[in-house]
Amino acid sequence: MKFEAWLDETPGETRGIVARDGRYERLIIHRESDAPGRRLGARSVGRVARLEPGLGGAFVEMQAAGAEAFLALKGGARLTEGQAVEVEVTAEARAGKGAALKLIGPAEGPPRLVTEGPSVRDWLARWAPGVRPGEGAEAIQAGMQAEEEALGAGVVLPGPGLDIAVERTRALVAVDVDHQGGGARAKTEANRRALIEAARLIRLKAWGGLVVIDLVGSGHDGPKLADAARQAFRDEADPALGPISRFGLLQLSIPWSRTPIEEILREGAGRPTLETRALAVVRALRRALLTDTAAPRWTATAHPEEAETAGAWVARLGPRAHLVADPAMRPGAFRLDHA
């Protein structure tokens, strides 16, 4: 098993990418616009805004204005409204839901950040221990490729004849497996490989919750496939497996932990956000500067809205980097020119 890692520290955004045996497994994105106290692993002092006995917890006011997160109360813990508590983020915000918290203990003072969560470099060290991350232009390229796959609808593997589609709905993550092949042994191997690929894609997309996998064929060896599923999803925290139904459906539950990649990069309609489009200009310009060190000047031409957003980040790339706003450029498009 071979791990590779990359660290892309572009002004405005840091990305970490991990591949295992040549396949992208992890993509983590931290933006400078993020609230550090809402990242996974961050510890803060918050104020209990209101108790929700029916939900078994309380909503906690965090440092960011108007930001609330949910604290599940376990082990008979009792809180009062207005009480200050120290909490840790166990799941980042997603799909209109605030961050999830665990209770550290009572605290004093106003809401504030106590310690930031692990950095992108820290996460890379956990996911690919002992591997020195590649940086520069190769990291930018790896991040672009991992992003493309994370935003995709699945994967096709011509060798084993597998077509795997993954889709996230409000209720669950659906995985559909199609296989061009025959025989019991081929079916078993196809399902084993499909489980590995499904787990990889779900990790890459930073998804969680209920997962339903439509396996190939029927009459499955339940214990054998359950073992294969546990092995495929071994990197997830405490995955819970259900039995395989008579319709060939395997169900499992994975705890949520991160904001899904598509929610970081895209708006509700699926269009890249303004920040995503502006950062794409910065990243492309930085890549050009790194790969062509002889050119005295590189200029990016972008839509005025994106140029305005990207301006301060481009200035941090140094004197060789320039940015021009052009109303004729359509949003999301840009041009690079060198002197």
Side-chain angles (χ1 to χ4, degrees):
M1 188 180 298
K2 178 184 177 182
F3 283 97
E4 298 171 274
W6 297 269
L7 180 67
D8 171 15
E9 296 179 295
T10 291
E13 180 182 271
T14 299
R15 294 185 173 195
I17 308 98
V18 173
R20 176 159 47 188
D21 295 333
R23 308 282 285 175
Y24 292 116
E25 288 250 340
R26 304 275 190 180
L27 172 60
I28 182 171
I29 299 174
H30 282 183
R31 288 182 167 173
E32 293 176 8
S33 60
D34 296 340
R38 302 179 74 180
R39 288 180 183 155
L40 185 64
R43 288 195 176 189
S44 298
V45 170
R47 184 186 66 83
V48 178
R50 61 187 184 279
L51 299 173
E52 295 287 353
L55 299 177
F59 285 96
V60 176
E61 178 188 348
M62 306 297 283
Q63 183 181 28
E68 288 187 351
F70 185 73
L71 171 62
L73 296 178
K74 301 177 181 179
R78 294 177 179 270
L79 301 177
T80 59
E81 291 189 3
Q83 179 181 351
V85 289
E86 184 174 345
V87 292
E88 180 179 319
V89 175
T90 57
E92 297 174 349
R94 69 182 191 281
K97 297 182 179 180
L101 308 170
K102 73 174 181 181
L103 181 65
I104 303 302
E108 295 182 355
R112 64 192 183 276
L113 178 66
V114 176
T115 57
E116 295 187 4
S119 67
V120 172
R121 191 181 289 274
D122 292 334
W123 284 114
L124 291 180
R126 293 188 188 190
W127 292 331
V131 177
R132 182 176 180 179
E135 301 186 38
E138 67 169 305
I140 293 174
Q141 178 68 17
M144 293 168 62
Q145 292 173 341
E147 174 189 328
E148 181 179 4
E149 190 166 11
L151 294 176
V155 65
V156 175
L157 303 176
L162 280 172
D163 185 347
I164 303 166
V166 291
E167 180 181 4
R168 177 184 166 211
T169 70
R170 289 183 59 182
L172 52 83
V173 173
V175 181
D176 181 57
V177 183
D178 286 334
H179 177 235
Q180 301 298 322
R185 176 176 287 185
K187 179 187 71 174
T188 300
E189 177 58 23
N191 282 324
R192 186 193 69 83
R193 184 66 182 274
L195 288 168
I196 293 172
E197 284 296 309
R200 181 184 70 83
L201 290 170
I202 290 169
R203 276 194 294 273
L204 185 62
K205 292 171 177 288
W207 287 353
L210 178 63
V211 179
V212 179
I213 304 174
D214 185 5
L215 298 165
V216 175
S218 59
H220 301 291
D221 184 334
K224 189 171 185 177
L225 277 177
D227 287 343
R230 291 189 189 94
Q231 181 67 14
F233 287 89
R234 65 189 181 278
D235 290 345
E236 276 58 58
D238 300 322
L241 268 70
I244 299 174
S245 77
R246 63 192 182 94
F247 302 109
L249 301 177
L250 171 64
Q251 298 182 54
L252 63 150
S253 179
I254 304 169
W256 280 100
S257 59
R258 300 186 178 280
T259 301
I261 295 298
E262 75 272 15
E263 292 184 22
I264 296 174
L265 299 175
R266 292 179 170 178
E267 298 172 333
R271 180 191 182 202
T273 66
L274 172 59
E275 187 174 19
T276 295
R277 301 195 307 270
L279 284 165
V281 176
V282 181
R283 184 170 293 104
L285 186 53
R286 178 170 176 255
R287 184 184 181 194
L289 293 169
L290 290 169
T291 54
D292 183 359
T293 57
R297 177 188 182 109
W298 273 93
T299 300
T301 302
H303 185 274
E305 202 175 28
E306 291 153 18
E308 181 180 4
T309 303
W313 297 325
V314 170
R316 287 159 54 186
L317 294 176
R320 295 173 58 223
H322 295 266
L323 182 61
V324 174
D326 183 355
M329 297 294 291
R330 63 176 177 83
F334 59 88
R335 184 179 69 249
L336 295 180
D337 300 290
H338 65 85

